[in-house]
Amino acid sequence: MTPPAARPLVTRLTELVGCRYPVVQTGMGYVAGARLVSATSAAGGLGIVAAATMSLRQMTAAIREVGERTDAPFGVNLRADADDARERVDVLIREGVRVASFALAPRRELIARLKDAGVVTIPSVGARRHAEKVAAWGADAVIVQGGEGGGHTGAVPTTVLLPQVVDAVDVPVIAAGGFCDGRGLVAALSYGACGIAMGTRFLLTSDSTVGEEVKRVYLDGAETVVTTRVDGVPHRVLRTPFVDSLERSRLRLPRAIVNGARFRRLSGLSWAAMIREGRRMRHGRDLTWAQVLQAANTPMLLRAAMVDGRADLGVMASGQVVGLIEDLPSCAELIDRVMSEAHTVLDRLERLERAPRP
C-alpha cells in the first residue's frame, strides 16, 4: 500500500517509534487484527495489535502477518497482569516488534526487559499519578485517555487530564479520547501532546474487519453511555437496546456462572485460571463475585458484536466522538485526511501569527 501524500509532521512520537505521522490506532479487542494494523502502519500511522483477546499462538501469527504485509513499525497491546505476560514479551522481542503497549501499568521488570531489548514501551493511563508512576519506572511514553474515550474510562475529560499529565512527566504524551480529525490533532499538539490515538475512528474504516451491519449501528447511533453493568467498572459503550436491558437488569450469580462457563469453553481457560483472574480483578475494587464472573464474560459480549456481527446481543465499546463520524474511509484515506486537515489548521494559525498588528 502506498503511504498517503500528506506532508509529514515530526514530533517526539514519530522520532521515538519511526512512524511518518503522529497518529496511533489503538489496540481494540477483536478489532485491531493484522489487517487493520498493517493498513494503519503502511499508511504512515502506528497500528497496534490487540493481543489481549488473542491466545499466545494467535498473537504470534498476527505479528507475523503484519510483518508480511508491511515493513513499517507497529505495536502490540498486552495485559500486564496476564499469566503468560512474560512469554508474550519474549515473543515481541523475538519477532522484532517496535512497540509494546499496555492497558494496565506493566510491572517494573517487564519495562526493563523490553527496554533492554530495544522495544519502546507505551502504557495507557487515565490519571496523572499513573503516568508519573510508569514514567518513573522507565516507560518511554504514555497514552493518556480522557473520559470521552471508549471502553474502560475515567471521569476526567481529555482537555483537563492531558495538560495535567503533560506538565507532570518528561516522557512523550499521546492524547486519546475524543479525537477523529486534523483539528483534534492540532488541539492535542497545542496542549503539549506529541500525537493522538484513535480507536472508534479506526474501527469505522473500510480496513476494519467489523461487519458492515455493526458499523452501520455505530454510524446511525451516535449516543454513548458509561455503564458498570458490563464488568463492574465504568465502561463507555454505544447505547443500544441490549445495553439498556443490562442497565435495567439485576446481576445474578447463576447467570454470571453460565456466562463464565461459555467464556471458559471459548477461551480454553480452566476454572482455576478464571478464579485467579477474578482475584486479580477484585483486588482494589469493590466487586461482588457475580460482577467478577460477568467481567470475565466481557470478551464474549465484545466478540458477539465485533466478530459474530450480533449488535443485538453484544456490547460495542465506543468513544463519544462517534457522533462526529459519518463515513468509512480506508486507513490510508483517513490518515491522509487527518494530516491534510492538520496542516490546513497549522497554516491558518501561522497566517494569524504573521498578520500585521494595528
Side-chain angles (χ1 to χ4, degrees):
M1 179 183 297
T2 302
R7 284 180 286 163
L9 188 60
V10 178
T11 71
R12 295 178 72 187
L13 171 62
T14 61
E15 292 177 329
L16 178 65
V17 304
C19 56
R20 183 176 173 84
Y21 306 118
V23 177
V24 178
Q25 162 253 301
T26 60
M28 299 165 281
Y30 296 116
V31 177
R35 191 172 93 177
L36 181 62
V37 171
S38 58
T40 300
S41 290
L46 180 70
I48 297 179
V49 175
T53 52
M54 297 177 179
S55 68
L56 184 62
R57 180 162 48 180
Q58 290 171 331
M59 182 193 81
T60 304
I63 290 171
R64 291 175 178 172
E65 184 177 345
V66 175
E68 291 170 357
R69 288 171 176 257
T70 179
D71 58 2
F74 66 96
V76 175
N77 181 258
L78 304 174
R79 282 191 56 176
D81 61 348
D83 287 339
D84 60 353
R86 184 175 295 275
E87 296 173 71
R88 289 175 181 258
V89 164
D90 289 341
V91 171
L92 265 62
I93 295 171
R94 185 178 68 243
E95 298 294 328
V97 174
R98 180 62 180 149
V99 174
S101 163
F102 291 91
L104 298 173
R107 297 186 299 276
R108 189 193 300 261
E109 58 267 27
L110 280 184
I111 295 177
R113 173 87 173 98
L114 289 161
K115 287 178 72 69
D116 288 345
V119 181
V120 176
T121 307
I122 307 180
S124 294
V125 299
R128 179 176 60 187
R129 66 182 184 278
H130 298 154
E132 292 171 333
K133 178 175 70 175
V134 295
W137 286 358
D140 297 291
V142 291
I143 294 176
V144 176
Q145 178 174 306
E148 300 94 325
H152 294 118
T153 193
V156 182
T158 303
T159 52
V160 175
L161 180 60
L162 179 58
Q164 285 182 345
V165 175
V166 167
D167 290 344
V169 299
D170 293 328
V171 299
V173 176
I174 303 159
F179 299 100
C180 69
D181 57 22
R183 296 173 299 177
L185 173 56
V186 174
L189 295 175
S190 73
Y191 276 109
C194 62
I196 57 172
M198 303 188 296
T200 306
R201 176 65 274 196
F202 275 106
L203 185 155
L204 294 173
T205 61
S206 60
D207 292 304
S208 164
T209 57
V210 173
E212 296 303 311
E213 291 185 3
V214 173
K215 290 178 182 177
R216 180 51 53 187
V217 173
Y218 273 91
L219 294 176
D220 291 344
E223 185 178 0
T224 66
V225 62
V226 176
T227 179
T228 59
R229 288 293 187 170
V230 175
D231 55 9
V233 292
H235 201 133
R236 186 177 294 283
V237 299
L238 206 63
R239 184 168 189 176
T240 64
F242 178 72
V243 170
D244 286 341
S245 72
L246 288 179
E247 286 285 280
R248 292 191 301 267
S249 68
R250 295 182 60 189
L251 188 63
R252 297 185 182 277
L253 185 58
R255 189 185 71 185
I257 292 174
V258 170
N259 288 337
R262 290 177 59 216
F263 175 58
R264 187 184 70 85
R265 288 193 299 270
L266 178 66
S267 65
L269 293 175
S270 65
W271 280 111
M274 290 187 66
I275 291 172
R276 287 197 300 271
E277 168 73 6
R279 285 175 176 163
R280 280 197 297 266
M281 296 177 68
R282 290 192 81 193
H283 181 68
R285 301 176 186 172
D286 185 21
L287 300 182
T288 66
W289 275 107
Q291 287 174 315
V292 167
L293 284 172
Q294 183 68 7
N297 185 51
T298 301
M300 289 288 295
L301 297 177
L302 293 171
R303 180 186 172 90
M306 300 303 151
V307 178
D308 301 333
R310 294 299 304 269
D312 57 328
L313 296 177
V315 168
M316 292 169 281
S318 176
Q320 288 182 307
V321 75
V322 69
L324 298 175
I325 299 174
E326 299 178 341
D327 59 355
L328 301 171
S330 68
C331 288
E333 291 167 339
L334 172 61
I335 292 176
D336 187 34
R337 180 193 304 173
V338 168
M339 297 310 303
S340 295
E341 291 171 348
H343 282 295
T344 297
V345 174
L346 290 171
D347 290 344
R348 184 171 71 245
L349 294 175
E350 185 179 359
R351 288 195 299 272
L352 288 174
E353 178 66 20
R354 293 199 308 261
R357 288 169 173 76

